Amino acid sequence: MAGGKLFYVIGPSGSGKDALMTYAREQVAGRLPILFAHRYITRPMDAGGENHVCLTQSEFLNRRELGLFALDWQSHQNFYGIGIEITSWMSTGANVVVNGSRKYLPTASQRFPEMRIILIDVSPDVLRQRLTDRGRETTEEINARIERNQQIPPVHHPNLLILNNDASLVESGARFIDMLTS
């Protein structure tokens, strides 16, 4: 059986990565060989956002030392990891979707050179509104986040796919699923 592909989803906080991944997971619902990896994060479970496996920092570092992460990085005072189970999943022919990090992309590309990168792009106005609606940050924090996002260099990768997510979840979600199945 041919190996599956790794889809590394990136984009600014508030771009809709979690919403798109949740939508796609619900739509494929086991009918297609697409699996969505949970991230292991040193962030409380009730912090909002994605469904993740919550670990203490010592638990995370122990798992990393034991080699239990296929990918791991640190961002925003938290540790993030993707478990080594994804390599087994891909060996069965399943496509695997992970919520990645733009800053970690060069390292992830070395580990998985054939992976597909899906950059979720959103206009600044839509991003600002989504961050405001989310209600986790002050106006000043939102402005700082948008400023930081605009300073991040453009992503260049031979397997880069770009999905503009200014449209409705149904419309963008359908395009996202098409990317995962083509």
Side-chain angles (χ1 to χ4, degrees):
M1 177 176 287
K5 297 176 187 142
L6 178 63
F7 289 88
Y8 190 84
V9 182
I10 58 175
S13 180
S15 64
K17 296 182 304 288
D18 294 328
L20 286 168
M21 289 172 42
T22 299
Y23 178 85
R25 175 184 278 152
E26 291 169 355
Q27 295 302 307
V28 301
R31 291 175 293 138
L32 298 172
I34 300 173
L35 302 174
F36 295 82
H38 285 84
R39 294 196 294 184
Y40 298 84
I41 309 175
T42 58
R43 176 175 66 205
M45 186 57 77
D46 62 357
E50 73 187 281
N51 179 13
H52 65 281
V53 178
C54 176
L55 298 175
T56 65
Q57 184 171 329
S58 60
E59 288 174 316
F60 187 96
L61 295 174
N62 185 49
R63 288 179 189 222
R64 184 171 71 184
E65 186 175 312
L66 292 170
L68 299 178
F69 295 124
L71 303 166
D72 71 273
W73 63 93
Q74 188 175 5
S75 180
H76 305 293
Q77 294 83 42
N78 290 303
F79 289 94
Y80 295 79
I82 306 293
I84 59 173
E85 62 271 16
I86 67 168
T87 56
S88 296
W89 298 350
M90 288 186 296
S91 72
T92 69
N95 287 343
V96 176
V97 183
V98 302
N99 188 341
S101 162
R102 288 177 289 180
K103 289 182 182 178
Y104 186 71
L105 178 59
T107 304
S109 294
Q110 289 176 347
R111 174 77 173 91
F112 296 97
E114 299 300 317
M115 74 178 180
R116 307 294 192 271
I117 292 83
I118 300 179
L119 172 62
I120 308 301
D121 189 35
V122 65
S123 68
D125 290 340
V126 171
L127 180 60
R128 180 180 309 284
Q129 188 60 53
R130 287 182 183 163
L131 291 171
T132 300
D133 292 347
R134 187 164 77 173
R136 281 194 253 166
E137 298 162 306
T138 66
T139 301
E140 293 78 24
E141 291 169 328
I142 290 170
N143 290 338
R145 186 177 286 278
I146 290 171
E147 172 96 12
R148 273 193 316 273
N149 181 54
Q150 291 173 339
Q151 293 174 1
I152 293 174
V155 175
H156 298 286
H157 192 279
N159 298 328
L160 177 66
L161 304 166
I162 299 174
L163 173 61
N164 178 276
N165 192 24
D166 284 351
S168 71
L169 180 58
V170 171
E171 184 179 332
S172 293
R175 290 195 322 269
F176 183 62
I177 293 169
D178 285 344
M179 289 176 169
L180 300 177
T181 57
S182 59

